[in-house]
Amino acid sequence: MSERPAITIDIVSDVVCPWCFIGQKRLGKALEAVPEIDVEVHWRPYQLDPTIPPEGKDRKAYMLAKFGSEERLREIHARIEPLGAEEGIAFDFAAIKVSPNTLDAHRVLRWAAAAGGDLQDRLAKRLFQLYFEEGANVGDHAVLIQAAREAGMDAAVVESLLPTDADRDAVAAEVATASRMGITGVPCFLLEGKYAVMGAQDAGTLADAIRQVAAAKGRGELEKTG
C-alpha cells in the first residue's frame, strides 16, 4: 500500500490582520476538500506594525491616522464584513478598543508550536476570535494567558515566560526573514517551503495548490528544484 501524500504549509500571518482570519477559515475548507492528503500547518510570525508600543495604541485614533477618515474606515470594514460572514466570522470592529503590538502573541504561538499537536493551530484560531469577534486586547498578557489555557497549553509556563525576554529575538528574526523573502502582505501560505500562495485566496484555489504541490512532491520534483 502506497504512503499517503503529505505536505507542510507555513502560514505567515499576524493575529490582527482580518484577511489572515478569513484566510484561516478558507484554508480549513480547503483541507476538508483534500482528505486524501496529510497537511501539517505551522503559523509563522509577521507584524503589520512593529512600531506600536507594548501597551498598544487607541484603536480609533490609530486607524484614523492610518486611513485618514471615518468614511474610509467604514468603507474598508463594509468590504471585509460580508466576506467574513461567508466564512462564519462575525467581525465586530467597533468592539476593538486597542491596536496592540503583536510580538507577545507571536511568542505564545511559538511556544504552542513547541508543545506539539494541534495546539498552535487552536491558539491561532482563538486569538483571531478574541480580537475580531470579542474586541479583546491580544497584546495584554492576561488575555494571552487565558487564550493559551483555552487552547490546552500549560498556562503556568506561559505566565512565567511572558514577562521575560524569552524568544523575543527569535520571533523578531522570523519576522525579518519574512521581509527578506519578499513577503510584504499577509496571509502568505508557503507550501513545502517552496511555493507561495499570497493573500486570502478562496478555498478552491488553496485546495488546488495543495493537490499540485503534493503531486509534485510525490513525483520527486521538489527535491530537484531545492
Side-chain angles (χ1 to χ4, degrees):
M1 186 176 173
S2 61
E3 285 185 20
R4 282 172 58 85
I7 69 166
T8 60
I9 298 180
D10 292 284
I11 310 171
V12 184
S13 158
D14 199 359
V15 296
V16 294
C17 166
W19 296 105
C20 293
F21 194 6
I22 291 171
Q24 176 260 310
K25 293 284 192 178
R26 290 177 175 173
L27 177 63
K29 288 181 179 177
L31 296 182
E32 289 175 4
V34 290
E36 72 282 5
I37 302 170
D38 290 329
V39 180
E40 189 173 313
V41 173
H42 305 283
W43 291 86
R44 303 297 184 191
Y46 188 89
Q47 286 194 279
L48 292 174
D49 188 351
T51 69
I52 292 177
E55 67 274 15
K57 288 186 174 181
D58 177 80
R59 168 77 173 179
K60 189 170 184 180
Y62 176 74
M63 295 301 279
L64 283 175
K66 188 172 183 179
F67 293 106
S69 71
E70 289 202 25
E71 184 183 6
R72 176 78 179 118
L73 261 181
R74 280 195 296 271
E75 286 173 3
I76 292 167
H77 292 162
R79 187 160 58 97
I80 294 172
E81 285 165 355
L83 293 172
E86 287 177 17
E87 308 301 336
I89 300 170
F91 279 115
D92 189 354
F93 292 107
I96 304 171
K97 304 305 179 189
V98 176
S99 285
N101 184 296
T102 56
L103 182 67
D104 284 343
H106 288 304
R107 290 168 67 211
V108 182
L109 281 165
R110 183 183 180 89
W111 302 332
D118 64 350
L119 273 176
Q120 191 192 39
D121 202 49
R122 290 209 304 269
L123 179 61
K125 291 172 183 175
R126 184 64 187 127
L127 290 174
F128 283 133
Q129 289 173 341
L130 281 165
Y131 186 67
F132 286 111
E133 297 184 325
E134 300 173 33
N137 177 4
V138 292
D140 182 85
H141 284 190
V143 171
L144 291 172
I145 292 162
Q146 180 60 26
R149 182 180 290 111
E150 290 172 5
M153 293 176 69
D154 186 337
V157 172
V158 175
E159 191 169 5
S160 65
L161 287 175
L162 266 177
T164 74
D165 287 331
D167 287 321
R168 280 182 187 278
D169 290 345
V171 169
E174 270 203 81
V175 172
T177 297
S179 295
R180 279 200 305 277
M181 289 171 65
I183 296 172
T184 56
V186 286
C188 174
F189 301 89
L190 289 170
L191 285 69
E192 283 295 303
K194 294 176 182 287
Y195 299 95
V197 178
M198 301 296 295
Q201 301 291 338
D202 64 82
T205 299
L206 288 168
D208 285 344
I210 291 167
R211 290 189 195 98
Q212 290 173 23
V213 172
K217 184 180 180 183
R219 294 191 296 267
E221 295 173 5
L222 301 191
E223 288 74 17
K224 293 174 188 174
T225 61

